[in-house]
Amino acid sequence: MESISKISSLLETARDLTLEAAQSAGSSRSFGGRAAVRDVPFLQVKKLLDSRHDREISEGLRKVISMMYRSKPCLPYFSSVVKNVASPNIEIKKLVYIYLIHYAESEPDLALLSINTIQKSLTDQNPQVRAMALRVMSGIRVPVISQIVSLAIKRGCGDMSPHVRKAAALAITKCYKLDPNTLPQLLDYLSILLGDKQYYVVGSAVTAFLEICPDRIDLIHKHYRALIRKLVDMDEWGQLALIRLMTVYARKCFPKRFTRLKKDSAKDFYDDDTPEQNTKTPTEEVQVLDPDLVLFLKACKPLLQSRNSAVVVAVVRAFLHLGTPEYLDAAVGPLVALLRSGQDLQQIVLYNIVSVCLVRPVPFVPYTSHFFVRSSDVPEVWQMKIELLTLVFPHSDSQSKGLILSELEHFTKTSQNDLVRESVRAIGRCAQSDSRTSKRCLNLLLRQTSSEDGNLVAEVLTVVRHLIQQDPASHVMTVVRLAKNLDTMTNPEARASIIWLVGEFAGIEGEDNIAPDVLRILAQGFADESEPAKLQIILLAAKVYIHHINRTQRPESAAHVSKVQNGDELDSSNEQNPSTEKEHPIVILWHYILLLARYDTSYDLRDRMRFYKALLSDPTSIQLANLLLLAPKPVPHTPSPSEGRRNWLLGSASLVVGEQAGPNGLSGYEKLPEWVQSGQEPDSKVRDEAPTKPQYGEKREAPAGERLDSALKGKVAEKKLNGVGQVTNQMTLDDWLAEEEGEGSTDSEEDDEDGEEEGEEEEEEEEEDEDDDEEEEDDDDDDDDEESDVEDSDAEKVGLVEKKDKLAQHI
């Protein structure tokens, strides 16, 4: 009969395997086709769910889950699905739990019927079932069961399995969102889980802490050092949460302290140390880190080799905002290595690299070659790379500077207008940041003014204008060179820039200035100029005219004052008639420009002409005209394009979005708190760890002697309780060994006494024997003594071994 039952069971198993194989083969053939997503009749699915065979129930649940994720109505199956929650099959339980979490909020009354069964699963022998039950109970969004969920979390916190404790930590956040009034209970559970021995439990607990009570730093004090030690072993999500938590914790608990140290100044070998020199030794201010903060920063260093780019960026953020420059320098290499990722991730990494480079660009100099633009780079990527090249340019050596300028010059000749514009602006920023290479950058830009590309020439002249304003006295010939290009220049913006530069230099060299000649040439083709160029021509005419007034009025006023002092009076007959006096060519040119602008079609041009005419026609307003037209211009400074992202945290979405994120960043963005003031930080003793006790069935390995002592004490206690007898001397293993050493010492003393008596007898015999016999007998006696000592030591060792064996048998 047994053989028949075995055969029938084997046949049933083979039948199930055959059916499953056929179903999988059919699903693979119909994958991607319409047959795989066709609707199954309601009665057929319900029949499968009500079946008594696990295979059919599992098949029905798969069909229901498939329809659920295709947004098909599956609520009619609720009762048939929920009744299978008590099935001992784990696969069926998983499918039922997925369905229950999805539809529990729609049918809260029916979902409550399954709570008792889920509670029973919390005591299941399988830890996977217990963890899954806790996860599902906390995922059912029904506020009525908040207290039941809280009790389930309490049970999970003391579970033997770390997987269940991790599920309890994840359930804390869900329970808090379900009912915020359970926060006091959840804080107690969270404090227990933060001190857990398993690192993956602690990672989930830290995540829950940041969700429900990120300001309760007092819960972290006693677990601080234990959390730091578990940082390396956590998963990536736990590491991100813990680094974020500890960065805020360090700002709130460790004040920023500085100390002054002497600088290492180079001194000749023969120089003497005098008291005056010692008092004038230069010092520098160095940041001093708290030992607990150093513990955290050292624990973060191995994470720079993480495969997760978010973890690397989080470590760099901690080093940037907490550590000294040495820590940040060590993190630059791993951060640059992230550029080997895809273009989507590469763009995010570049935003973070630029943000760090704005603060400390020197460590990025060895990685200059990583920032060269490739042909496959998208605009967002090559814009950031060009900006990085300009940031590291002033700190590079001469060879690297030449390489960077050659790279930028190459991109000024491409067909992409955006790339050309960014390259020209980058050359201008390089010249602005390093005065030693500004002449080279200027010559490089001037070579581009002869280009046929109008956009390139206009951008180049704008940058050249900014460079000339930084040192006007040394660029007079540059302005003359640009003025000669007006005959061939066709771009309106480029012509307007050159005319403005000529006007700025109109007061240099007096009558020998080129500004009146340039104005005369421009007046001939005034009608054909563009409106921006016409506006600059009128401004140039006003500046030339006011410089002429300033040159002519000062000598006349000085001559008039001298004549009055000498008493000379001018007769009216000797005065020249103003009508017969010949006007200066500059005055004639000024009036001609006014006439040209008066009949122009542009309203702005005519209004500007009227303003200048009224300002310069009244002799009393000449001083005001000087202030308006000849006032010194501020030196332009072109900031880096990402200067506005400097204050955003690394790794945040607001850093990528930039100014569009608003003044406070995107929703959910939190700034780092300021450093705590010295004297207001908590005492370092609050971070001292309490003595640990074995948890969750852990066994402490004790030495063999300690175990023998405990066994002997237990034996003595049993004898006392039974009343058989009392042991007067409770001897431990150390006492036994001490006693054996004592016996060995007494035996050695007796042997010494016997040796003395034998020595006296031998002395009497030696007096009677001859000299040769005495030497031989002495040698024999020495050999006998050595043999007796060896025998005594061997006997002592054998006695100790016998004593230990007897003690072990007695125990």
Side-chain angles (χ1 to χ4, degrees):
M1 295 297 293
E2 293 180 1
S3 60
I4 295 174
S5 62
K6 289 181 180 179
I7 291 172
S8 61
S9 62
L10 290 175
L11 291 174
E12 183 68 23
T13 304
R15 175 177 173 273
D16 294 340
L17 291 174
T18 304
L19 290 174
E20 291 179 2
Q23 290 176 358
S24 61
S27 61
S28 62
R29 285 195 301 269
S30 60
F31 180 77
R34 296 182 179 179
V37 295
R38 63 185 180 183
D39 295 335
V40 184
F42 173 78
L43 295 176
Q44 182 180 349
V45 176
K46 187 170 178 59
K47 182 179 179 181
L48 292 173
L49 295 174
D50 295 338
S51 176
R52 296 182 179 180
H53 300 285
D54 291 346
R55 180 180 57 80
E56 295 179 354
I57 297 174
S58 179
E59 182 182 355
L61 288 172
R62 287 193 181 96
K63 294 182 181 298
V64 172
I65 300 299
S66 176
M67 289 189 292
M68 183 179 70
Y69 284 109
R70 285 187 283 120
S71 301
K72 299 292 182 181
C74 297
L75 273 177
Y77 304 107
F78 196 90
S79 58
S80 299
V81 172
V82 172
K83 72 179 182 180
N84 293 312
V85 73
S87 175
N89 193 328
I90 298 179
E91 297 297 330
I92 294 177
K93 278 182 177 293
K94 289 181 180 179
L95 295 173
V96 173
Y97 287 161
I98 293 172
Y99 180 88
L100 194 60
I101 292 174
H102 193 272
Y103 285 108
E105 195 171 3
S106 302
E107 294 289 340
D109 296 335
L110 293 176
L112 292 176
L113 298 177
S114 61
I115 294 298
N116 292 332
T117 306
I118 298 175
Q119 280 184 300
K120 292 179 182 179
S121 299
L122 293 173
T123 58
D124 195 274
Q125 294 182 354
N126 191 344
Q128 186 179 3
V129 175
R130 298 199 300 271
M132 193 163 47
L134 182 55
R135 192 177 298 114
V136 172
M137 184 178 291
S138 60
I140 298 176
R141 295 179 292 273
V142 180
V144 181
I145 64 170
S146 60
Q147 293 299 328
I148 300 177
V149 175
S150 177
L151 293 176
I153 295 173
K154 182 179 181 180
R155 180 190 293 271
C157 291
D159 197 281
M160 299 287 288
S161 173
H163 298 285
V164 181
R165 300 197 299 274
K166 181 178 180 180
L170 295 173
I172 289 177
T173 305
K174 299 177 183 178
C175 185
Y176 174 74
K177 292 180 180 179
L178 195 65
D179 186 7
N181 296 325
T182 58
L183 181 61
Q185 306 169 14
L186 298 178
L187 291 179
D188 297 336
Y189 307 153
L190 191 59
S191 179
I192 296 172
L193 293 173
L194 287 172
D196 199 278
K197 298 292 183 181
Q198 298 294 334
Y199 53 87
Y200 43 85
V201 178
V202 174
S204 302
V206 170
T207 305
F209 176 86
L210 293 174
E211 289 289 335
I212 66 173
C213 56
D215 296 331
R216 290 293 304 272
I217 301 297
D218 56 310
L219 298 177
I220 307 297
H221 291 322
K222 58 183 179 181
H223 306 299
Y224 175 81
R225 292 167 186 163
L227 290 174
I228 296 302
R229 288 194 295 268
K230 297 184 183 72
L231 177 62
V232 180
D233 298 324
M234 291 182 181
D235 59 341
E236 287 85 352
W237 296 106
Q239 289 172 351
L240 290 173
L242 187 56
I243 292 174
R244 176 185 167 194
L245 171 62
M246 290 306 169
T247 305
V248 177
Y249 181 89
R251 284 294 189 99
K252 292 185 177 180
C253 298
F254 303 130
K256 194 172 185 179
R257 296 189 177 94
F258 293 92
T259 185
R260 303 198 68 85
L261 298 178
K262 294 182 179 179
K263 286 186 178 180
D264 296 333
S265 57
K267 184 176 63 175
D268 192 17
F269 180 78
Y270 296 100
D271 289 348
D272 296 332
D273 293 335
T274 59
E276 296 179 356
Q277 292 178 351
N278 294 334
T279 56
K280 298 180 181 179
T281 302
T283 59
E284 59 179 350
E285 204 173 39
V286 180
Q287 184 180 359
V288 180
L289 300 180
D290 191 272
D292 286 331
L293 179 56
V294 173
L295 180 67
F296 168 60
L297 296 177
K298 287 184 177 179
C300 289
K301 274 191 175 181
L303 301 183
L304 292 172
Q305 310 301 326
S306 176
R307 61 183 179 182
N308 194 321
S309 58
V311 176
V312 178
V313 173
V315 174
V316 176
R317 179 177 66 237
F319 287 171
L320 177 63
H321 296 290
L322 301 179
T324 56
E326 289 76 13
Y327 286 98
L328 187 60
D329 295 348
V332 168
L335 184 62
V336 175
L338 297 178
L339 292 176
R340 301 168 186 166
S341 308
Q343 288 187 351
D344 51 348
L345 185 60
Q346 191 177 9
Q347 180 182 354
I348 306 300
V349 173
L350 282 171
Y351 280 115
N352 292 276
I353 292 177
V354 170
S355 182
V356 178
C357 194
L358 287 171
V359 178
R360 187 170 174 80
V362 177
F364 292 92
V365 173
Y367 305 97
T368 304
S369 59
H370 292 74
F371 307 139
F372 287 156
V373 180
R374 299 180 180 179
S375 59
S376 58
D377 290 339
V378 296
E380 292 79 7
V381 172
W382 56 251
Q383 285 178 2
M384 305 299 294
K385 286 186 175 181
I386 290 177
E387 183 177 0
L388 283 170
L389 290 177
T390 59
L391 290 175
V392 301
F393 180 81
H395 307 282
S396 303
D397 54 4
S398 58
Q399 183 179 1
S400 299
K401 289 179 180 178
L403 194 61
I404 292 173
L405 291 178
S406 300
E407 180 81 3
L408 296 175
E409 183 182 7
H410 169 73
F411 289 116
T412 58
K413 302 175 183 179
T414 60
S415 58
Q416 301 181 24
N417 294 332
D418 295 338
L419 183 56
V420 170
R421 182 172 59 253
E422 288 297 329
S423 301
V424 171
R425 291 177 180 176
I427 294 174
R429 291 198 299 271
C430 290
Q432 177 180 301
S433 60
D434 189 6
S435 58
R436 293 173 296 179
T437 59
S438 60
K439 185 177 181 180
R440 179 181 177 182
C441 295
L442 183 61
N443 293 332
L444 192 151
L445 292 173
L446 290 176
R447 287 200 299 267
Q448 305 295 332
T449 55
S450 60
S451 175
E452 296 180 357
D453 188 358
N455 296 325
L456 172 61
V457 175
E459 194 66 39
V460 165
L461 288 174
T462 303
V463 176
V464 168
R465 178 167 57 86
H466 292 168
L467 295 179
I468 291 175
Q469 284 183 262
Q470 294 180 1
D471 189 11
S474 60
H475 291 95
V476 177
M477 298 307 298
T478 305
V479 176
V480 175
R481 178 180 174 181
L482 291 174
K484 293 179 180 179
N485 292 332
L486 282 173
D487 297 335
T488 59
M489 199 75 62
T490 57
N491 188 276
E493 298 294 336
R495 293 182 66 85
S497 297
I498 295 176
I499 296 170
W500 185 88
L501 281 174
V502 173
E504 285 295 306
F505 286 81
I508 299 177
E509 298 180 358
E511 296 289 342
D512 297 333
N513 195 275
I514 64 169
D517 291 334
V518 172
L519 180 61
R520 177 180 58 81
I521 296 172
L522 292 173
Q524 296 175 3
F526 183 84
D528 299 329
E529 296 284 350
S530 62
E531 185 173 350
K534 289 179 180 180
L535 290 172
Q536 294 301 327
I537 291 173
I538 295 177
L539 179 60
L540 174 61
K543 290 181 179 179
V544 170
Y545 183 64
I546 196 172
H547 280 300
H548 170 71
I549 294 175
N550 293 333
R551 286 194 300 267
T552 56
Q553 280 188 351
R554 289 174 184 172
E556 290 178 359
S557 61
H560 179 71
V561 171
S562 62
K563 289 179 181 179
V564 171
Q565 291 177 354
N566 295 330
D568 298 336
E569 294 182 359
L570 298 176
D571 298 334
S572 58
S573 60
N574 295 332
E575 292 180 355
Q576 296 180 357
N577 190 1
S579 59
T580 61
E581 184 180 357
K582 187 177 180 181
E583 292 185 349
H584 196 276
I586 293 180
V587 178
I588 299 173
L589 189 60
W590 164 246
H591 292 299
Y592 179 67
I593 295 295
L594 290 179
L595 288 174
L596 291 175
R598 179 179 180 182
Y599 297 101
D600 196 85
T601 57
S602 175
Y603 292 97
D604 295 336
L605 195 64
R606 294 199 299 269
D607 292 341
R608 188 74 58 88
M609 180 271 300
R610 294 189 187 96
F611 170 72
Y612 291 150
K613 183 179 180 181
L615 185 65
L616 297 175
S617 61
D618 188 3
T620 60
S621 62
I622 297 299
Q623 187 176 1
L624 178 61
N626 286 322
L627 292 176
L628 290 176
L629 299 176
L630 304 180
K633 308 297 187 298
V635 178
H637 178 77
T638 306
S640 183
S642 298
E643 192 69 30
R645 306 175 191 264
R646 181 190 290 267
N647 297 325
W648 299 114
L649 280 179
L650 294 182
S652 62
S654 299
L655 175 65
V656 178
V657 177
E659 297 179 354
Q660 298 178 2
N664 298 323
L666 298 175
S667 177
Y669 176 79
E670 295 180 1
K671 296 182 179 179
L672 278 180
E674 298 295 333
W675 289 94
V676 64
Q677 297 295 329
S678 182
Q680 299 180 2
E681 74 277 7
D683 191 2
S684 60
K685 294 182 180 179
V686 298
R687 290 184 288 274
D688 293 340
E689 297 178 344
T692 58
K693 297 181 180 179
Q695 273 186 327
Y696 313 124
E698 292 183 356
K699 294 183 179 180
R700 186 176 66 89
E701 294 185 1
E706 186 176 344
R707 285 184 287 180
L708 287 174
D709 292 342
S710 61
L712 182 60
K713 291 178 181 179
K715 190 70 177 179
V716 172
E718 289 180 0
K719 289 184 178 181
K720 287 184 178 181
L721 291 175
N722 294 333
V724 177
Q726 294 183 357
V727 180
T728 57
N729 295 327
Q730 298 180 1
M731 300 180 65
T732 63
L733 179 61
D734 297 333
D735 297 336
W736 280 84
L737 295 176
E739 183 180 356
E740 294 296 333
E741 292 177 357
E743 291 178 358
S745 62
T746 54
D747 293 341
S748 62
E749 291 176 358
E750 293 177 358
D751 294 339
D752 294 339
E753 292 177 359
D754 295 339
E756 291 176 358
E757 294 176 357
E758 292 177 358
E760 293 176 357
E761 295 176 358
E762 289 175 357
E763 288 177 359
E764 294 176 357
E765 293 177 357
E766 287 173 357
E767 292 177 357
E768 298 175 357
D769 296 337
E770 295 179 355
D771 297 335
D772 297 334
D773 296 336
E774 289 179 359
E775 293 177 359
E776 295 177 357
E777 288 177 0
D778 290 336
D779 296 336
D780 295 337
D781 291 337
D782 293 335
D783 296 337
D784 293 338
D785 292 337
E786 291 177 358
E787 292 177 358
S788 62
D789 292 337
V790 172
E791 291 176 356
D792 292 340
S793 62
D794 293 339
E796 291 177 3
K797 292 180 181 179
V798 173
L800 286 173
V801 173
E802 291 179 354
K803 291 287 187 180
K804 290 181 179 179
D805 293 339
K806 290 180 181 180
L807 176 61
Q809 292 176 0
H810 179 70
I811 293 173

